[in-house]
Amino acid sequence: MTSAKAAPPPVPVPMARILALQPKLRPTDLEDAVVSTEDPLLLETVCNLVRIWATARKDLPADFSERVQVKALSRQPLSFASIDMETVERDAMQVNEPFPPGSGVDASPWPTSDLFMLRPLSPPTFPPAPQRTRVDLPGRQSVGVCTSCQGAGAENCVTCAASGRQICGSCSGTRQVTCPQCGGGGTHIGVSGRYIQCRRCNTRGTIQCQNCRATGQVTCQVCAGRGTLQCEVCSGHGNLKSRWVLNVNTETAHEHEFSLADPWPAPTEQLLSDTEVLSEVIVRPADGDATISAVAPASLRSMARRVLEKVSSSASGEQRIAAYRVQIRGTYLYDVRLEYSGRPFTVLIGGLRSQVFPKSALPAKSGALQTLGRFFQKGLRALATDERPGVGSDFVKAVSVGSAHLTDTNCLLPAVAAYLRCPCSVTGEGYVLQVVEEASKGSIPGPAIPISIKLDSEVAGKLTLCASVIIGDAHRDQFPLALSLNSKLMVGRLAVTEIDGVETYIYVDRRPYDFASAGRYAAVLQGMAAAVRWLSSSKPLN
Amino acid sequence: MEELGQSLRSCNGIAVRYQAADMIVELPTGGGRRHAVKVQSRRLPGTNGHVLWLQSRAALVSQPKIVRKALRENGGLSEIGFALDVTVEPPSLDVVCGVIAQGVTVEELLDALQKVSWAASAIDARVAAGDHF
């Protein structure tokens, strides 16, 4: 059932990348089939995401965010073969310019008449809008007499017909102007109030023009009386140099196709720009096919070749294909089975910004009476069970402005940062807090220690706060020492993990999310920061 | 800490004794086995607070690969970690955990004690049976 009224457009909630939903993909991950998951972290994250999405939609029931439940979750990769083709069109054009005496002329012939051989193609830039550029072509220059002034370097002034004088603008050549005293009437009103004869013009009504001194002509203002003007075409040099320029029109054509193991009705066009580029290669026309094999996983190669053929066929005869940019892009697409008031419906979630798209009809907004009834029921339930389902408005606001992570429903870490008075930034996995040392009297506080806090789920499915700091490269001969240092570290422990194939010491602390009040977790982070400072100052592992 | 010890004593199967400033808590770990956990109150550097430091012997370290594996496991999912006690010969692999003392409840401490003792006991049993850690 859909609402009779047209639904207002939903206000999108800006969402940063949530790594729990959109982990880093490799091209081979795009070959995965549909899998269903019961990972509690994913379920919790998706549920929060749907709740926040629902708060921005005015067409959903008021209590939707509170009562919606995630019943099942499955995902599959959505992959794109996206190809940009840069085409170049060239034409040579002769231009004439003033030729000052003594300047050089390159009259050497061109080695070829093929304009693409004459000058190599620039590195491809794939401009989003057509681009026009002009470059100089050396050679084939010549000098000739200026056709405009026939080599004179000057032209007759058109304004004065080369006389150097022009008709006076004040008297229009009549040498007389209207008397300003009587306005041409010959009489005017005197001080007595009666008409008297004009003495200035002696009742003639006109006087001699002072501008041209009664000659009717003035010096030509255009040529300053010279009668000639410098030739604008040759700048007065009398000669013109003819040289060649190359006009280059560069355009980018785009084609893409998508692939899904199970054809869910995803709005793929909206998702294309919101996907991650997993591999990219710039291909010259000659080696297109071979490079596609290297960049695309086996299942996407035929699709990439098809897109390449399609985009290539769009080039016209005058255009030369400069290069292709082949991209394999992908995102995880989630099919989320939800339930609200016993009614099932489905949404799809996909893209780096975790966009939500209804797959089936959404529940209609209820009438005022029903809403009142639900609020009453909710009040009774809250009184009876102390239950506070759904997400708080503070949390929604914090996520919307990017100050809280989607999984941090209690806004714990912003509270910890406020407690410690330290900067806090939201990342895909959680947060980074710059923990500063508590200043004591007479001492200079040390540098801030950046601690990343990941919101993760442990084996039992409980949400966990995982704080970590990278210490440095691990050396095998120091392993016993590193492990023994853990007896001195009050919170967290030293561990070894591989980062980019290199064994690295990390200092890590894991605690259940439920354990933490802001004050207690602040103590953990302060303890970690103190330990990191100790490790870097006393260098036991160096 | 004494108050917490009193509360722990009231829990089924848990024995608590004191050794100097330390509290030794012995917990059942399944299969009729029991395992001891040492609890110390230590100051948490960088703060004015304290930590309840839980430590339990898991195995004697005879091979270097145990150390490497323990360091790798430390990066894993659990709240507890491994430390090497080099004050004994041969060195001992301990299961450790730091609980923030401020506002700690008996339930939270008991949960941490159980995790530490279970992990230490399981390693102890595996190593005793000739299995690798």
Side-chain angles (χ1 to χ4, degrees):
Chain A
M1 193 168 65
T2 51
S3 175
K5 282 182 187 172
V11 182
V13 177
M15 201 66 70
R17 181 178 189 170
I18 302 158
L19 281 173
L21 292 180
Q22 298 295 344
K24 292 270 177 197
L25 284 167
R26 290 163 301 166
T28 48
D29 293 332
L30 299 177
E31 296 179 303
D32 292 349
V34 179
V35 288
S36 56
T37 175
E38 287 178 3
D39 180 341
L41 179 67
L42 277 180
L43 290 170
E44 176 75 16
T45 307
V46 163
C47 193
N48 284 346
L49 185 65
V50 171
R51 285 164 167 173
I52 286 180
W53 166 77
T55 56
R57 292 187 69 105
K58 305 293 176 216
D59 55 337
L60 290 171
D63 60 347
F64 181 89
S65 301
E66 293 178 5
R67 299 179 64 190
V68 68
Q69 288 179 316
V70 177
K71 289 293 175 187
L73 185 63
S74 50
R75 82 172 178 196
Q76 64 168 321
L78 166 64
S79 41
F80 287 93
S82 163
I83 298 185
D84 292 315
M85 175 181 73
E86 183 177 296
T87 55
V88 178
E89 201 178 332
R90 289 181 165 184
D91 66 86
M93 192 178 77
Q94 212 168 8
V95 290
N96 294 321
E97 63 186 18
F99 178 67
S103 54
V105 179
D106 179 6
S108 58
W110 288 347
T112 172
S113 58
D114 184 343
L115 296 177
F116 288 92
M117 301 265 286
L118 203 57
R119 201 179 171 90
L121 287 168
S122 309
T125 55
F126 301 97
Q131 209 174 56
R132 284 168 179 268
T133 53
R134 182 181 271 201
V135 283
D136 292 338
L137 278 178
R140 288 183 66 179
Q141 293 179 349
S142 58
V143 176
V145 173
C146 175
T147 50
S148 181
C149 64
Q150 312 304 327
E155 291 172 312
N156 288 340
C157 176
V158 179
T159 311
C160 62
S163 66
R165 300 195 53 82
Q166 63 183 139
I167 291 167
C168 173
S170 299
C171 64
S172 303
T174 59
R175 303 176 190 178
Q176 297 284 317
V177 290
T178 305
C179 174
Q181 187 77 28
C182 62
T187 58
H188 60 87
I189 297 171
V191 288
S192 62
R194 287 180 295 183
Y195 276 98
I196 56 169
Q197 290 182 335
C198 179
R199 289 187 182 170
R200 182 145 182 203
C201 62
N202 288 329
T203 70
R204 286 194 298 275
T206 58
I207 58 168
Q208 283 188 340
C209 176
Q210 294 303 308
N211 188 38
C212 59
R213 296 175 194 272
T215 60
Q217 288 186 330
V218 289
T219 304
C220 177
Q221 286 177 357
V222 177
C223 63
R226 288 192 299 271
T228 58
L229 290 168
Q230 189 187 65
C231 176
E232 283 178 1
V233 179
C234 63
S235 298
H237 297 301
N239 290 321
L240 288 173
K241 183 166 87 172
S242 174
R243 62 182 182 86
W244 291 85
V245 290
L246 190 64
N247 290 319
V248 183
N249 296 336
T250 311
E251 286 180 29
T252 306
H254 173 83
E255 283 290 344
H256 65 265
E257 271 189 35
F258 71 92
S259 166
L260 277 170
D262 192 0
W264 294 347
T268 51
E269 294 304 314
Q270 282 184 61
L271 283 169
L272 174 67
S273 59
D274 198 21
T275 52
E276 186 174 17
V277 178
L278 307 183
S279 55
E280 179 182 298
V281 70
I282 308 292
V283 186
R284 294 285 174 191
D287 48 13
D289 196 62
T291 322
I292 278 178
S293 300
V295 75
S299 63
L300 298 179
R301 278 175 206 158
S302 58
M303 180 168 79
R305 286 193 188 102
R306 207 165 45 240
V307 178
L308 189 70
E309 276 172 29
K310 208 192 292 179
V311 74
S312 302
S313 65
S314 67
S316 70
E318 289 82 34
Q319 289 174 325
R320 185 77 59 101
I321 298 168
Y324 299 101
R325 181 169 57 197
V326 182
Q327 288 180 333
I328 300 298
R329 309 175 70 115
T331 180
Y332 275 129
L333 195 63
Y334 290 83
D335 180 284
V336 191
R337 304 277 159 91
L338 299 162
E339 194 178 282
Y340 165 77
S341 286
R343 238 198 88 207
F345 64 100
T346 314
V347 295
L348 293 175
I349 296 175
L352 294 176
R353 290 181 288 120
S354 299
Q355 298 184 60
V356 182
F357 307 98
K359 192 176 163 190
S360 59
L362 295 171
K365 193 172 184 172
S366 42
L369 215 60
Q370 279 174 300
T371 309
L372 204 65
R374 284 208 181 115
F375 273 118
F376 184 63
Q377 278 180 354
K378 182 186 157 193
L380 278 179
R381 195 170 61 235
L383 281 172
T385 63
D386 198 27
E387 183 189 348
R388 292 182 62 198
V391 287
S393 58
D394 288 348
F395 172 63
V396 173
K397 197 175 164 191
V399 173
S400 304
V401 299
S403 65
H405 191 269
L406 187 66
T407 323
D408 184 11
T409 32
N410 296 342
C411 293
L412 174 71
L413 269 301
V416 171
Y419 189 95
L420 292 173
R421 293 190 200 133
C422 70
C424 167
S425 52
V426 179
T427 65
E429 292 177 313
Y431 298 86
V432 172
L433 261 71
Q434 304 281 343
V435 181
V436 287
E437 199 173 3
E438 213 171 313
S440 54
K441 270 185 187 172
S443 70
I444 301 160
I449 305 292
I451 302 181
S452 349
I453 295 117
K454 191 172 150 185
L455 292 145
D456 206 345
S457 63
E458 62 160 332
V459 184
K462 279 171 72 179
L463 192 61
T464 308
L465 293 160
C466 177
S468 64
V469 179
I470 295 173
I471 302 297
D473 290 356
H475 304 289
R476 201 163 289 193
D477 53 339
Q478 294 169 335
F479 281 178
L481 174 64
L483 195 60
S484 69
L485 287 175
N486 283 334
S487 301
K488 294 180 181 170
L489 303 172
M490 298 299 103
V491 286
R493 67 263 181 175
L494 277 171
V496 168
T497 190
E498 260 187 33
I499 298 175
D500 298 330
V502 180
E503 284 196 318
T504 309
Y505 286 127
I506 57 162
Y507 179 38
V508 57
D509 179 273
R510 296 185 81 96
R511 267 157 222 278
Y513 182 78
D514 297 338
F515 125 93
S517 66
R520 293 188 81 199
Y521 200 59
V524 172
L525 297 184
Q526 278 181 315
M528 283 187 77
V532 172
R533 279 189 205 101
W534 173 71
L535 285 168
S536 59
S537 62
S538 47
K539 303 186 189 306
L541 291 172
N542 284 4
Chain B
M1 201 154 73
E2 276 180 21
E3 278 175 34
L4 287 167
Q6 289 295 333
S7 305
L8 287 171
R9 267 200 185 113
S10 64
C11 299
N12 255 352
I14 295 179
V16 180
R17 63 192 154 86
Y18 294 91
Q19 205 175 62
D22 307 338
M23 179 166 77
I24 311 292
V25 184
E26 218 175 82
L27 299 101
T29 54
R33 293 171 64 91
R34 294 178 71 78
H35 214 90
V37 182
K38 185 166 80 176
V39 183
Q40 290 176 314
S41 177
R42 294 183 179 181
R43 203 182 71 79
L44 179 60
T47 70
N48 298 321
H50 282 74
V51 163
L52 295 177
W53 178 251
L54 279 52
Q55 186 176 11
S56 184
R57 289 270 188 265
L60 295 177
V61 178
S62 50
Q63 294 171 314
K65 66 178 180 185
I66 294 181
V67 172
R68 186 164 188 263
K69 179 144 193 222
L71 275 170
R72 285 199 160 261
E73 292 274 320
N74 270 353
L77 294 173
S78 173
E79 294 156 44
I80 55 172
F82 295 108
L84 191 68
D85 187 351
V86 288
T87 60
V88 290
E89 185 58 39
S92 154
L93 182 71
D94 293 350
V95 178
V96 294
C97 181
V99 178
I100 299 294
Q102 174 207 339
V104 68
T105 60
V106 179
E107 291 76 23
E108 190 190 337
L109 181 61
L110 188 59
D111 183 52
L113 281 166
Q114 278 170 342
K115 280 178 180 160
V116 170
S117 62
W118 275 82
S121 176
I123 294 166
D124 186 30
R126 278 209 304 270
V127 173
D131 234 352
H132 291 300
F133 153 57

